[in-house]
Amino acid sequence: MSISIRDLYDKIIDYKGTNLYKDILTCWIKEFSYKEFVISLPDSLNLSNEENWELYALSRVLDILTLSMQPNKNSDGSNWLGPIIEKKEFIEFVKLLGLETIIPEKYNSFNCEIFETIEGDTNFEIVECLFPAIKFKNLLIKRSGVIIMNNKSDYNLDLINHSKI
């Protein structure tokens, strides 16, 4: 494959500017027809090893792009906040890649990752969706990041909010 999102990953990591979306992401989208690659993948998801690795690299790019949207900016202990990108820019970038975004209405552990829980009367009610889930055909590539509400008499909110898992 001549196009690799691994190259984009390196560009994001090395970027020192202030407008990642404009300077790197949209330029990369224009230079490479990644959406054509995504659309050309088989519906059966019977993928080659190279295609599987490419989708894995794509998931890593999506991971680093959502770091700055997460409430705990030092969860890995590195003090690296990740590249700064707005939620709307992230959604636009994902769509330009030919992927589907899903903003969950109800919490589901399959497509939602909890980043924070606040005290409330209802358990597992989504208070805010920090970024959408990302889907490629029938494959979930990235879960949405959510802040949920839980009753503190039912759950240890401190343990949930400080979990490293």
Side-chain angles (χ1 to χ4, degrees):
M1 175 185 344
S2 61
I3 300 169
S4 176
I5 205 156
R6 288 171 276 193
D7 300 326
L8 177 59
Y9 180 89
D10 292 336
K11 288 181 184 217
I12 293 169
I13 296 294
D14 294 339
Y15 182 68
K16 305 292 184 223
T18 58
N19 194 337
L20 178 75
Y21 182 72
K22 180 182 170 220
D23 296 344
I24 300 292
L25 300 180
T26 56
C27 293
W28 190 85
I29 289 284
K30 289 176 187 173
E31 185 177 347
F32 300 105
S33 299
Y34 202 78
K35 185 175 186 173
E36 291 176 22
F37 162 73
V38 169
I39 291 169
S40 74
L41 291 170
D43 286 337
S44 66
L45 292 178
N46 185 13
L47 305 173
S48 70
N49 283 340
E50 188 174 335
E51 291 165 334
N52 280 317
W53 280 111
E54 188 65 22
L55 288 177
Y56 172 74
L58 171 61
S59 75
R60 299 305 295 157
V61 165
L62 298 174
D63 285 346
I64 63 170
L65 289 177
T66 57
L67 282 175
S68 66
M69 298 177 215
Q70 299 171 21
N72 183 356
K73 305 278 193 260
N74 192 25
S75 62
D76 69 351
S78 71
N79 294 320
W80 186 61
L81 304 179
I84 305 300
I85 182 172
E86 299 293 324
K87 181 178 176 179
K88 65 181 180 171
E89 293 172 333
F90 175 75
I91 291 170
E92 183 62 26
F93 174 69
V94 167
K95 289 179 180 178
L96 290 171
L97 290 173
L99 302 170
E100 180 184 352
T101 59
I102 302 166
I103 297 178
E105 293 181 20
K106 292 186 175 186
Y107 176 79
N108 181 316
S109 60
F110 175 74
N111 66 0
C112 295
E113 182 174 353
I114 299 170
F115 281 95
E116 186 177 350
T117 186
I118 61 172
E119 185 178 348
D121 296 329
T122 309
N123 288 329
F124 294 96
E125 181 179 326
I126 295 176
V127 175
E128 181 180 356
C129 179
L130 303 168
F131 52 85
I134 309 301
K135 190 174 168 189
F136 162 70
K137 299 184 180 185
N138 292 324
L139 178 66
L140 185 68
I141 294 192
K142 180 159 185 66
R143 295 188 298 165
S144 63
V146 295
I147 296 174
I148 62 166
M149 180 185 308
N150 275 326
N151 188 312
K152 80 176 199 175
S153 64
D154 296 333
Y155 293 96
N156 182 334
L157 304 186
D158 191 51
L159 180 65
I160 294 170
N161 287 331
H162 295 95
S163 173
K164 298 290 184 190
I165 297 175

